[in-house]
Amino acid sequence: ALDRAIGQIRAAAGPEATFVVISGDCVGPNRAGWQLLPEVLTRLGFLATPQMQAAGDSAPALARRFDPVKALRDLLPKDFRKSLARSLPTKLRDRLAQRVDTADIDWTRTRAYCLPTDLEGYIRVNLRGREPQGIVEPGAGYEGVLAELTAEISALRDAGTGRPIVREILRADQAFPGDHDAYLPDLIVRWDASAPIVAATSARVGTVSVPSPDTRPGTHQGPGFLVACGRGIAPGAVLHDGHILDFAPTLLARMGVAVPPHMHGRVWPELTAV
């Protein structure tokens, strides 16, 4: 059905049109370890909850903070929650989700925490001056947290086989620089998807075993694909070493529009020799 629809669009566009079909992803097995990260951060001393007792503190641990919104959410059936969420304005839905997701975080002792995700691991530092209740000092304090997190998470191994479970850890400000990089996670953990990840171990963390709450057997992953035809595009030409970031500057260049400096992709000559 998709093939027929693409053919119909191509025919309607006419022979003079540049026609491009692009996908940034393919689909493969759903193998990731993001569900392990909250416990890993907790054991490393970066993520604190109200009921945790600080090291060396003789006072009793704080009771779990009661949040009426979270309590109400937990009482509602899952399907009803989804239906209700879809009916709410996006900003309100996001604010409520953020409140529920962070209800059990003690911000006075949390240096880093996890952002919602469904594949990579997203970690954000509780940075003073950026976060509402930030405690990590900018500069050396911030860099020290990132360095320690990168080293400790990179050390995680599969508890059964001993293989590394982390493929790479990206610093978002370096991988995706721009005017709005402060809105991104500080660290992006990319997993080795060659086998399922259900338990991890390291010398400092010990063994962490958390089943994934995501029951989907497949998910998005690379590589993607692109097919194109039009004036100046040689039939059978092949793109080599393409990246999703290349598509926007290539399309602009083909249309004769200057590529703005904030776009970091390269222009594909195979698609711009008009």
Side-chain angles (χ1 to χ4, degrees):
L2 288 173
D3 287 345
R4 287 194 298 271
I6 291 172
Q8 291 167 359
I9 296 171
R10 173 74 182 96
E16 295 301 315
T18 297
F19 193 78
V20 181
V21 178
I22 184 170
S23 172
D25 302 286
C26 67
V27 171
N30 188 6
R31 296 168 177 169
W34 57 268
Q35 77 279 2
L36 303 172
L37 282 181
E39 180 62 22
V40 169
L41 293 189
T42 299
R43 295 193 186 187
L44 291 173
F46 287 97
L47 178 62
T49 59
Q51 64 269 25
M52 292 172 56
Q53 186 169 318
D57 188 357
S58 59
L62 296 173
R64 180 181 292 272
R65 183 185 293 115
F66 175 77
D67 184 271
V69 174
K70 184 176 186 301
L72 178 61
R73 194 286 304 262
D74 292 343
L75 289 174
L76 298 175
K78 184 177 181 180
D79 290 342
F80 180 76
R81 292 204 310 262
K82 291 183 177 180
S83 176
L84 179 62
R86 286 192 292 266
S87 68
L88 297 175
T90 302
K91 286 187 177 181
L92 177 58
R93 183 174 68 240
D94 290 346
R95 286 179 65 88
L96 290 174
Q98 182 183 40
R99 175 169 171 171
V100 169
D101 290 340
T102 61
D104 289 334
I105 295 179
D106 180 357
W107 296 110
T108 66
R109 293 186 291 127
T110 288
R111 293 182 292 157
Y113 58 100
C114 296
L115 297 176
T117 180
D118 71 345
L119 190 58
E120 290 87 4
Y122 293 156
I123 299 175
R124 191 167 169 92
V125 175
N126 191 21
L127 186 64
R128 188 182 302 276
R130 184 183 70 179
E131 311 302 317
Q133 302 178 63
I135 64 171
V136 175
E137 295 294 338
Y142 174 72
E143 294 294 334
V145 167
L146 294 183
E148 185 179 353
L149 282 170
T150 299
E152 294 298 335
I153 295 173
S154 297
L156 293 172
R157 298 293 184 268
D158 183 271
T161 65
R163 70 178 177 91
I165 63 171
V166 175
R167 179 156 55 96
E168 65 176 336
I169 299 178
L170 302 176
R171 276 191 56 158
D173 60 348
Q174 297 174 0
F176 308 106
D179 295 339
H180 302 289
D181 58 3
Y183 292 97
L184 300 175
D186 292 297
L187 296 177
I188 301 172
V189 183
R190 304 186 69 192
W191 308 98
D192 175 13
S194 60
I197 301 173
V198 295
T201 187
S202 74
R204 184 172 167 189
V205 171
T207 299
V208 175
S209 179
V210 180
S212 174
D214 187 354
T215 58
R216 297 173 299 171
T219 190
H220 299 96
Q221 59 182 241
F225 70 86
L226 176 143
V227 291
C229 62
R231 183 162 51 93
I233 301 176
V238 178
L239 292 170
H240 296 284
D241 301 321
H243 193 282
I244 188 66
L245 293 179
D246 302 336
F247 179 65
T250 297
L251 186 62
L252 290 176
R254 183 174 176 85
M255 298 172 67
V257 178
V259 178
H262 69 265
M263 289 188 175
H264 298 282
R266 68 182 180 92
V267 173
W268 293 320
E270 297 89 346
L271 267 66
T272 52
V274 179

